Amino acid sequence: YGEAIASKYTDENVYWLTWGDEPGHRMATRDGTPVAGDPVPTWYTDTLHMEVNYWYYSVLAPGDTDHWYWDYLQKVPGGSPVSIAHDFELTAVADAPISATVRGLLRGYKASPYHSAEISLNDHTIYTATYVPGAAERFTVTVPLTYLVSGTNILTCTVGMGVNVDYTWSNWFEIQYPRRFVAEGDRLTFAAEGGPWTYVVSGFLTDTVDILDITDPWDPVRVSHATISGTNGAYTVTFAHILSLPHRYILSARSQR
């Protein structure tokens, strides 16, 4: 299991391969045979992070190390408030008895007499704020799960309400929500709570699916003896998580390697 590189200088992974020395580290295996009677969860908490590094701005307040921004919204003197809308797709939103959470980060550049911002989700106003010129505005807000839909959603950021000038950068937004155990693109990654649990993951197009415990990306563990059922491009994988601590799994069709 190889993690993508996390660097501000490149998005290309680099690997060093050697031969003729001692055998390298081998992947351990853990039995995932489903256990009759263990509880079967119907959803897990997923997070969609939305960020595009489009604008670079080098002058920031001390302690802020992220110089890249997504949108630049400019409300000029005598003008109207300015909005930017972002479409995003959610799949398999669960019908769960919890709320969704929306987070984001804005950075003020110039304002008179102050910055004003409004965030809406699918035409529901979920957050409003005013803050001093040039400041950062980080927000976290819980919203009813009914504000989200499986399919296309729209998050809108508006600035400049009730002020003369408002120049603001948007940095990123996040949506945290309950999601059903359904593969997308023949793979699924999720965090498992402390067990025992039996996980049932549907939505695979093939019956050749690998399961890896990637809690420690440097030492992944292959999960064996899962059961796979289904026919004609509609397959379901069932396996046991018997460990008492939380773990993180990835299920992937072999064609996605």
Side-chain angles (χ1 to χ4, degrees):
Y1 176 76
E3 284 191 300
I5 194 169
S7 169
K8 62 182 179 181
Y9 300 108
T10 182
D11 59 0
E12 295 184 358
N13 281 21
V14 178
Y15 299 94
W16 292 94
L17 304 179
T18 62
W19 64 91
D21 205 339
E22 294 296 321
H25 184 62
R26 295 297 187 260
M27 191 181 299
T29 300
R30 185 171 67 243
D31 185 15
T33 302
V35 179
D38 279 354
V40 179
T42 58
W43 57 270
Y44 66 99
T45 300
D46 197 13
T47 301
L48 174 66
H49 183 85
M50 299 176 286
E51 180 175 2
V52 177
N53 292 330
Y54 189 74
W55 298 90
Y56 183 83
Y57 181 50
S58 61
V59 182
L60 292 172
D64 194 340
T65 60
D66 186 356
H67 295 263
W68 286 97
Y69 292 89
W70 191 351
D71 303 305
Y72 187 36
L73 296 88
Q74 303 177 69
K75 195 275 184 180
V76 299
S80 300
V82 178
S83 298
I84 188 75
H86 293 293
D87 297 353
F88 62 94
E89 299 291 324
L90 295 180
T91 59
V93 177
D95 183 12
I98 64 171
S99 301
T101 301
V102 182
R103 303 183 182 92
L105 176 61
L106 307 175
R107 159 68 66 174
Y109 174 63
K110 178 182 179 181
S112 176
Y114 49 78
H115 294 287
S116 65
E118 178 184 282
I119 306 297
S120 64
L121 176 62
N122 292 334
D123 294 327
H124 300 280
T125 299
I126 61 172
Y127 183 76
T128 59
T130 58
Y131 53 104
V132 299
E137 177 68 13
R138 185 186 300 267
F139 68 89
T140 299
V141 58
T142 58
V143 302
L145 189 57
T146 53
Y147 285 10
L148 297 175
V149 299
S150 290
T152 302
N153 297 262
I154 301 175
L155 184 76
T156 304
C157 175
T158 304
V159 304
M161 295 78 66
V163 300
N164 187 39
V165 175
D166 193 340
Y167 295 170
T168 297
W169 305 92
S170 70
N171 194 317
W172 54 263
F173 302 101
E174 278 186 352
I175 310 292
Q176 183 175 302
Y177 68 103
R179 187 180 187 277
R180 292 181 284 115
F181 290 91
V182 179
E184 183 175 7
D186 257 359
R187 68 171 53 194
L188 181 69
T189 303
F190 68 93
E193 301 294 334
W197 300 102
T198 291
Y199 288 103
V200 180
V201 182
S202 63
F204 288 99
L205 302 177
T206 175
D207 60 355
T208 54
V209 178
D210 292 323
I211 307 172
L212 297 178
D213 181 334
I214 55 171
T215 307
D216 180 358
W218 295 98
D219 193 19
V221 176
R222 185 183 299 277
V223 178
S224 63
H225 299 106
T227 62
I228 300 179
S229 59
T231 58
N232 300 325
Y235 294 93
T236 297
V237 179
T238 304
F239 71 100
H241 170 71
I242 61 174
L243 305 176
S244 60
L245 297 176
H247 278 247
R248 189 166 180 81
Y249 290 100
I250 180 170
L251 288 75
S252 177
R254 292 178 187 173
S255 60
Q256 298 297 313
R257 287 180 177 178

